[in-house]
Amino acid sequence: GFVGSGGSDMTLPTGDTVWTAEGQGTLTPNSPVTLTYDNGAGLKFTRTISIDDKYMFTVDDKVTNTGPSAVTLYPYGLVSRHELPHVQGFYILHEGLIGVVDDGLEEISYSSALEDEPATFKSQSGWLGITDKYWATVVVPEQGKPFEAKFAGSDTGDRQRFQTDYLMGPLSVAPGETAEVSGQVFAGAKEVNVVDGYAAAYEIPKFDLLIDWGWFYFLTKPMFYALDYFYRLVGNFGVSILIVTVLIKLVFFPLANKSYVSMSRMKKLAPEMQKIKERYSDDRMRQQQAMMELYKTEKVNPAAGCLPILVQIPVFFALYKVLFVTIEMRHAPFFGWIQDLSAPDPTSVFNLFGLIPWDPPAFLMIGAWPLIMGLTMWFQMKLNPAPPDPIQQKIFTWMPVIFTYLLASFPAGLVIYWAWNNTLSILQQSLIMWRQGVDIPLLENLGIRPPKEPADAPEEVKSAKQEAEQKRSAKASRRASRAAKQKGAEKEAVKPPEGEADQDRPA
């Protein structure tokens, strides 16, 4: 609409104004609607509204001045919401006031809008509105013309109100002339291809940020494009996730291969490492120095095993973001009982996957796919020898259980990805260990078969163990001897002189 300058008493169209429609047609993507309004004081307003099939409205306004003097109007656009809506409340998702002004993204939550002063910005391009998880309403001023944007919230006690609006510069209309202004209103689903198409068609800066891609934009959006591409080929987002996981494994194959080769070499060095531990069992500093010298000599990096996990973290987060924020993933089925990849696995082991007619509470909803993921994670850990530290052993033992419980509430598509990625990692690591000539200790670590004795210099290892045991025994004997001497000295110190004990003793 329009507002006048301060102190102006011009009659301008408002929300209660009755417009006159030209013709009898209704608004469709193929037939725009033209409305007119005459204020009776020399100003005639003509508004043409058109819409496409994805709910982008284009509003073209014309103001004709038939009066005797020039007038100045200020075009505006606003999106308002009454009452605080229910929000997801996840830190990775923004819901609330949003806009791009002066080439910068502004995201203001509902709570911040109520607590803080209104935020104002001056710009010549951009857009602003209010967004939900999957839908949004946005106003787009005519680009290239200066405007002032404002994001605000208010709470009057009985009603909360939120508003984003822009106010453009003065529009002067001389007598007998017509001025024009245009803008867009988008009110629809935040489909990626639709939003990107509008950004290109109307040259709206950073309009794709209407979808909350997050800080890892450079990973999250390409992840979606990859999933969407294979979805169009196979017709199933779940299968698309499996394909993209394989491609990711291929991309990072050199890095993972180097890591698994280093882990295999560590396995081959186990006898030498055991000898060092036994030889310097009483000197941890010297033991660490000897270990470092061994790693340096054999060109082995003990931290290389962490690389596959570190690489997986940003990919995992990017996929989680895509599953959570894109409407394309909403209600996307896989196979069997998974009818929504963006929602958690609906089954639970605590009601025997639906055999018992009982709905467990949310914290007991541990479905079949989280169990599959936990099992693959457990098998992957059992491929490697148990760490020597008992505390680390307990941590590694309980880690698959903890991850199974944590990921049970995550989207099913993410759990499927993790389980499939673990399976590929098990196959890759087993192949590399086999090629390196390293035994795969899966059955030994599972307790099905007794552990093998180290093949490299067993006598040396045995003598080193005996030597270390003898050192520990000698050290324990010295401690016992010193303790006995100290105890005897204490008894001598507290023993009373001869005769005094008899004098004090009662008859």
Side-chain angles (χ1 to χ4, degrees):
F2 299 92
V3 294
S5 56
S8 173
D9 57 354
M10 287 185 297
T11 302
L12 300 175
T14 66
D16 298 325
T17 298
V18 178
W19 295 68
T20 301
E22 295 183 359
Q24 301 297 322
T26 58
L27 178 61
T28 70
N30 298 319
S31 59
V33 166
T34 299
L35 309 174
T36 60
Y37 167 69
D38 192 329
N39 72 347
L43 292 179
K44 182 179 180 181
F45 298 87
T46 303
R47 171 166 293 171
T48 301
I49 304 174
S50 57
I51 188 176
D52 64 11
D53 59 345
K54 300 298 182 183
Y55 299 98
M56 172 67 89
F57 297 82
T58 299
V59 182
D60 297 310
D61 277 316
K62 294 180 181 180
V63 181
T64 302
N65 185 2
T66 59
S69 58
V71 297
T72 300
L73 304 175
Y74 295 84
Y76 75 86
L78 67 86
V79 178
S80 66
R81 167 169 250 162
H82 296 179
E83 307 298 346
L84 179 66
H86 173 73
V87 296
Q88 297 276 338
F90 284 85
Y91 70 96
I92 67 168
L93 174 68
H94 172 70
E95 296 175 274
L97 288 63
I98 189 173
V100 168
V101 286
D102 198 21
D103 208 36
L105 176 66
E106 299 295 332
E107 294 179 324
I108 301 175
S109 65
Y110 291 113
S111 58
S112 297
L114 293 175
E115 296 170 1
D116 302 336
E117 294 294 323
T120 58
F121 305 89
K122 293 184 181 298
S123 182
Q124 291 190 0
S125 63
W127 51 272
L128 42 90
I130 297 178
T131 181
D132 292 333
K133 181 178 181 179
Y134 294 128
W135 293 272
T137 301
V138 175
V139 287
V140 184
E142 190 171 349
Q143 303 297 294
K145 295 184 178 180
F147 63 88
E148 180 177 291
K150 184 171 70 173
F151 303 81
S154 62
D155 188 352
T156 60
D158 58 346
R159 165 164 286 191
Q160 295 167 322
R161 189 168 182 264
F162 307 92
Q163 181 168 305
T164 62
D165 60 64
Y166 68 83
L167 183 65
M168 300 186 69
L171 184 68
S172 297
V173 188
E177 293 186 354
T178 298
E180 299 182 10
V181 65
S182 181
Q184 281 85 32
V185 178
F186 173 69
K190 299 190 296 184
E191 298 179 57
V192 177
N193 293 333
V194 171
V195 173
D196 288 349
Y198 288 147
Y202 297 103
E203 298 182 352
I204 307 173
K206 298 183 179 180
F207 195 58
D208 61 328
L209 297 184
L210 183 60
I211 300 171
D212 188 5
W213 297 113
W215 291 351
F216 292 95
Y217 174 96
F218 58 93
L219 285 178
T220 311
K221 198 168 183 181
M223 174 70 76
F224 170 81
Y225 282 138
L227 293 173
D228 187 60
Y229 174 79
F230 288 105
Y231 166 73
R232 296 177 187 276
L233 292 179
V234 300
N236 187 296
F237 268 117
V239 176
S240 177
I241 290 174
L242 301 183
I243 296 174
V244 170
T245 305
V246 174
L247 294 179
I248 293 172
K249 296 293 288 186
L250 291 176
V251 170
F252 292 110
F253 180 81
L255 183 63
N257 187 71
K258 184 177 180 180
S259 172
Y260 291 138
V261 167
S262 181
M263 292 170 64
S264 299
R265 290 178 179 174
M266 287 281 291
K267 170 66 177 174
K268 295 179 71 173
L269 291 178
E272 293 294 329
M273 295 167 61
Q274 185 62 34
K275 286 192 292 185
I276 292 174
K277 291 177 182 178
E278 297 293 345
R279 184 176 298 120
Y280 304 109
S281 59
D282 297 330
D283 190 347
R284 297 297 296 273
M285 182 66 69
R286 186 70 185 91
Q287 183 185 123
Q288 291 297 326
Q289 291 175 353
M291 288 285 190
M292 291 297 109
E293 292 174 1
L294 178 64
Y295 296 151
K296 187 176 180 180
T297 303
E298 300 294 334
K299 298 180 180 181
V300 173
N301 183 5
C306 300
L307 290 178
I309 299 177
L310 294 178
V311 169
Q312 187 175 342
I313 290 175
V315 175
F316 174 85
F317 182 79
L319 179 59
Y320 179 32
K321 189 80 170 178
V322 169
L323 288 167
F324 194 77
V325 305
T326 57
I327 193 172
E328 287 83 353
M329 294 293 179
R330 180 174 179 259
H331 297 164
F334 184 45
F335 295 115
W337 62 94
I338 302 298
Q339 297 300 313
D340 187 355
L341 288 168
S342 66
D345 189 320
T347 61
S348 175
V349 67
F350 291 97
N351 63 4
L352 297 182
F353 308 109
L355 294 178
I356 301 176
W358 173 63
D359 293 329
F363 69 92
L364 293 180
M365 293 297 293
I366 302 177
W369 270 107
L371 290 177
I372 295 173
M373 185 281 304
L375 187 63
T376 58
M377 189 176 184
W378 183 66
F379 269 102
Q380 186 178 10
M381 289 185 174
K382 290 300 181 180
L383 276 179
N384 302 309
D389 185 30
I391 297 179
Q392 291 183 2
Q393 289 184 20
K394 292 182 180 179
I395 293 175
F396 277 85
T397 299
W398 283 99
M399 189 175 293
V401 179
I402 295 172
F403 271 79
T404 298
Y405 182 79
L406 290 177
L407 289 180
S409 60
F410 278 57
L414 196 65
V415 181
I416 293 172
Y417 157 77
W418 194 296
W420 178 233
N421 184 75
N422 288 346
T423 303
L424 296 176
S425 298
I426 291 171
L427 296 175
Q428 182 181 0
Q429 185 175 353
S430 300
L431 178 61
I432 292 173
M433 293 175 69
W434 176 74
R435 293 179 60 184
Q436 292 289 320
V438 178
D439 291 335
I440 302 176
L442 181 59
L443 297 180
E444 289 86 347
N445 291 339
L446 291 175
I448 299 176
R449 190 168 63 191
K452 296 180 180 180
E453 292 293 334
D456 293 338
E459 294 298 330
E460 295 181 13
V461 175
K462 185 176 180 180
S463 61
K465 290 183 178 179
Q466 292 174 350
E467 182 181 353
E469 186 64 31
Q470 291 173 0
K471 288 182 179 180
R472 281 194 292 267
S473 300
K475 190 173 182 179
S477 299
R478 288 194 297 270
R479 288 176 180 169
S481 178
R482 285 197 300 267
K485 290 180 180 180
Q486 184 178 0
K487 187 173 182 181
E490 290 176 353
K491 288 182 178 180
E492 290 294 331
V494 300
K495 183 177 180 181
E498 292 186 9
E500 290 187 9
D502 294 343
Q503 293 174 5
D504 295 336
R505 185 179 303 147

